[in-house]
Amino acid sequence: MDSTSDLIIDYLKEEPIGETDHFIWFITDIGIAALFKKKQNYEIYSSNVEIEANKIGLDITKEVKEYLNIKEKKLFLFYS
């Protein structure tokens, strides 16, 4: 595993900044991580992530969205 993946996994052990229907949200040095809560399919999560970010006061519309699967954890990473 690379150092970026290790860094993200370490941040997922920290206190989340919020929780929505499909995600647990974390701030990292790289960006905002939206950890999938369940093992639903990608399309369901992808279509809900921006709506749910707004529910906790995050505007991620101008951020780059990257899908990651690290140590069986699925998440979106948002960064500029």
Side-chain angles (χ1 to χ4, degrees):
M1 187 168 4
D2 62 53
S3 60
T4 301
S5 296
D6 289 337
L7 182 65
I8 292 169
I9 290 297
D10 286 344
Y11 275 102
L12 297 181
K13 296 173 187 169
E14 301 292 324
E15 187 73 27
I17 60 167
E19 191 169 329
T20 57
D21 293 338
H22 294 96
F23 302 98
I24 302 171
W25 298 84
F26 297 88
I27 295 291
T28 74
D29 281 348
I30 301 167
I32 298 168
L35 179 66
F36 292 24
K37 282 181 150 180
K38 300 176 185 168
K39 298 191 186 284
Q40 299 279 341
N41 70 26
Y42 171 86
E43 288 80 21
I44 290 171
Y45 282 93
S46 186
S47 65
N48 285 310
V49 70
E50 288 184 21
I51 296 165
E52 292 188 31
N54 285 330
K55 289 181 180 179
I56 60 168
L58 297 174
D59 180 7
I60 56 173
T61 56
K62 294 182 177 136
E63 305 295 320
V64 174
K65 177 172 83 173
E66 186 174 339
Y67 170 75
L68 301 170
N69 190 344
I70 306 168
K71 290 188 175 181
E72 298 184 26
K73 296 184 184 299
K74 296 178 181 184
L75 60 109
F76 290 117
L77 182 65
F78 296 91
Y79 57 91
S80 301

